[in-house]
Amino acid sequence: MELPLHVAWSGMPSYDMGKPRQRMGLYRTVRHEGLRDDLPHYLKDLLLQMWPARRPRGPSPRRGR
């Protein structure tokens, strides 16, 4: 994945998403240097791949009753 200059201005502009270390580097770079609109644009698919949605099993417990 290629990052634009305003995000990767001081480091690596290209990341191999097949390598876990580079995926984490991309995540860190976008979080620290990206603009608000860059976060979902560059991280949404990455986060969905790394942390799949989990569905709760059964009803959720009620608190305070």
Side-chain angles (χ1 to χ4, degrees):
M1 177 176 289
E2 296 284 328
L3 293 177
L5 186 58
H6 75 272
V7 177
W9 60 272
S10 66
M12 205 164 71
S14 180
Y15 293 84
D16 181 351
M17 300 308 288
K19 297 181 178 179
R21 270 192 133 159
Q22 288 197 23
R23 281 196 308 263
M24 212 49 179
L26 174 112
Y27 176 80
R28 272 192 230 106
T29 301
V30 174
R31 289 280 297 146
H32 290 283
E33 306 295 339
L35 302 173
R36 176 182 248 171
D37 291 339
D38 293 326
L39 299 177
H41 182 77
Y42 292 103
L43 299 182
K44 180 181 175 188
D45 291 338
L46 173 65
L47 293 175
L48 289 174
Q49 290 170 7
M50 294 175 71
W51 294 284
R54 301 182 85 168
R55 294 184 196 147
R57 296 174 192 236
S60 61
R62 293 183 177 188
R63 294 183 186 173
R65 292 189 184 177

